[in-house]
Amino acid sequence: MQKKWIKVPYIDQTKDWPTGCESVSAVMFLRYLGINITVEQFVEQYLEREPLFEKEGKLYGPDPWKAFAGDPADDQSMGCYAPVIMKALEKAMPADREVVDLTGVSMELLLRNHIDNDMPVIFWASIDLKETYSGPEWILTDTGETFTWRSNEHCMLLVGYDKENYYFNDPWHGHGMIGYEKKLVEKRHAEQYSMAVSVK
């Protein structure tokens, strides 16, 4: 199998955006496309956010399919899912670019259709590829239903592959591109609903 790496500007999330992996990955992606934007601008201008709050001993918050739960600058916040990042990207993107939801698309197709064509993919897995687990739970402010978060959720930018590894600009690691073993990446990606986003 061939090797492939896309060189993408790197941003470290650890100092200013402890729970902002989705936004930081999106901004790396936008900068690769030539859109000059900061993480702060992306969060303030484009990202749908709603707070998590306690009331009568119960935790309340947004549906992460619809809004970021908390604040990406707050280490006690949670995160968001692919549709939220898609919506933010659509606002930040020029009209001639179409944002695409690649949730559920096989790794083979992600590589063939995007990475091989020099297009990175915003990709959900887990932090350090640690095991994910259920919890915490909160009550959704819009429906009153109980939502269960899958902890260790993490978002990175898929930028390459070789025979053994997939390569990411992982905003949690502070040193640019990092390789993770393929089978483990695929397992963690599936545990986070196989979410992915790019453009065509």
Side-chain angles (χ1 to χ4, degrees):
M1 184 184 226
Q2 69 189 90
K3 294 180 180 179
K4 175 75 183 182
W5 292 278
I6 308 166
K7 192 168 170 44
V8 177
Y10 181 79
I11 304 169
D12 179 356
Q13 80 176 86
T14 54
K15 183 169 167 282
D16 297 320
W17 306 102
T19 55
C21 54
E22 305 95 345
S23 295
V24 173
S25 295
V27 170
M28 287 192 277
F29 181 74
L30 288 166
R31 286 188 180 176
Y32 173 75
L33 295 176
I35 297 161
N36 188 15
I37 187 172
T38 65
V39 180
E40 187 171 18
Q41 286 169 327
F42 183 84
V43 169
E44 292 297 328
Q45 295 174 26
Y46 304 123
L47 186 70
E48 299 267 352
R49 291 170 290 159
E50 283 183 38
L52 290 155
F53 61 93
E54 273 197 39
K55 185 177 163 188
E56 295 168 1
K58 291 180 178 177
L59 187 61
Y60 289 80
D63 182 342
W65 296 99
K66 297 175 184 173
F68 186 97
D71 180 340
D74 171 23
D75 65 3
Q76 296 303 306
S77 290
M78 295 297 168
C80 64
Y81 291 157
V84 179
I85 291 301
M86 282 188 68
K87 198 171 173 183
L89 283 174
E90 282 164 357
K91 294 178 199 168
M93 201 75 72
D96 62 342
R97 291 281 193 183
E98 185 187 344
V99 182
V100 286
D101 186 352
L102 301 172
T103 298
V105 172
S106 69
M107 291 303 298
E108 182 189 354
L109 285 177
L110 291 181
L111 300 183
R112 188 195 311 159
N113 295 341
H114 297 273
I115 303 303
D116 286 349
N117 290 311
D118 294 316
M119 187 56 69
V121 174
I122 299 166
F123 187 95
W124 277 254
S126 66
I127 203 153
D128 293 328
L129 293 196
K130 290 176 185 167
E131 199 165 336
T132 64
Y133 58 93
S134 289
E137 290 183 345
W138 63 86
I139 297 165
L140 299 180
T141 47
D142 60 348
T143 65
E145 292 172 64
T146 299
F147 174 83
T148 305
W149 182 249
R150 289 204 69 81
S151 282
N152 285 331
E153 176 263 356
H154 189 44
C155 189
M156 307 178 280
L157 197 62
L158 176 64
V159 295
Y161 63 93
D162 60 19
K163 193 175 176 187
E164 287 86 29
N165 297 314
Y166 297 119
Y167 290 88
F168 296 89
N169 269 24
D170 182 347
W172 189 248
H173 278 281
H175 52 62
M177 192 171 70
I178 188 167
Y180 291 119
E181 192 268 323
K182 284 184 168 180
K183 282 272 185 287
L184 190 54
V185 168
E186 289 168 15
K187 186 170 192 289
R188 299 298 182 235
H189 184 52
E191 288 168 16
Q192 292 293 348
Y193 312 107
S194 301
M195 292 184 292
V197 172
S198 190
V199 298
K200 63 179 183 183

